[in-house]
Amino acid sequence: MASEDQTDDRMVKLRSGDGEVYEMNANAAKLSKLIAEAIFDNDDDEDDDDANNEVPVVKVKSECLRKVIEFCEHYVKDPLNQITHTMEANSFDEIVTQKFYRDFVTVEQPLLFQLVQASNFLDIQPLLNLACLQVANILMGKSAEDIRSILNIPKMTPEEEEKARREHRWIFEA
């Protein structure tokens, strides 16, 4: 196996939840702890059968998996600057200064939420951080009702709301 510093020219096959198969450079695939464990922990085996290099990613649909692969392959060439102390910046653009990454998460909300889920499932921390930051950016300054709508959270019953108001008064203070 190639060391962490060396280029690994192998390709890894990923099968999406809807059955499509995609190829990804091994160096990019290593960003995912799940894929790295599935593929690269088996490098002790002398058998280099291609079937062993296919990873089922059943929780991720094709459209989202293509975006995940795009992110990982770009990240290998141009890593995302570390996201830190987001409260010190005034805008998303001040936090994420690299255009590719700003544009990458400027997608329809359903796809953005799929990226959050996929990056969590695949254990790709830089993508999870970026996607969650974009979700936080979208929610910032929104009312509780707007947030409930965006996140598709059902409205509380009057009894649930009364209990929540008693137990969490600070939430309802305006």
Side-chain angles (χ1 to χ4, degrees), residues 15-29:
R15 181 176 298 278
S16 69
D18 43 1
E20 296 294 321
V21 177
Y22 299 92
E23 285 195 339
M24 177 181 204
N25 177 280
N27 289 318

Side-chain angles (χ1 to χ4, degrees), residues 20-86:
E20 296 294 321
V21 177
Y22 299 92
E23 285 195 339
M24 177 181 204
N25 177 280
N27 289 318
K30 290 175 187 176
L31 284 174
S32 165
K33 290 180 183 174
L34 181 104
I35 295 171
E37 289 174 7
I39 295 293
F40 303 109
D41 283 355
N42 294 328
D43 277 352
D44 300 346
D45 302 341
E46 293 300 318
D47 183 11
D48 253 355
D49 185 0
D50 280 345
N52 292 335
N53 276 352
E54 184 173 295
V55 179
V57 188
V58 295
K59 292 186 176 185
V60 183
K61 294 198 183 312
S62 291
E63 178 186 19
C64 184
L65 186 56
R66 284 190 303 269
K67 289 287 285 181
V68 169
I69 292 168
E70 177 187 359
F71 176 90
C72 292
E73 289 182 344
H74 184 86
Y75 188 94
V76 169
K77 297 174 203 159
D78 180 24
L80 173 65
N81 296 336
Q82 186 172 0
I83 297 172
T84 58
H85 306 293
T86 57

Side-chain angles (χ1 to χ4, degrees), residues 142-155:
K142 301 283 194 272
S143 69
E145 189 60 38
D146 289 342
I147 292 171
R148 183 179 293 120
S149 175
I150 291 167
L151 298 178
N152 200 24
I153 298 171
K155 191 166 177 83

Side-chain angles (χ1 to χ4, degrees), residues 31-33 68 71-72 119 122-129:
L31 284 174
S32 165
K33 290 180 183 174
V68 169
F71 176 90
C72 292
S119 58
L122 293 169
D123 200 354
I124 304 171
Q125 197 61 51
L127 178 54
L128 182 60
N129 292 345

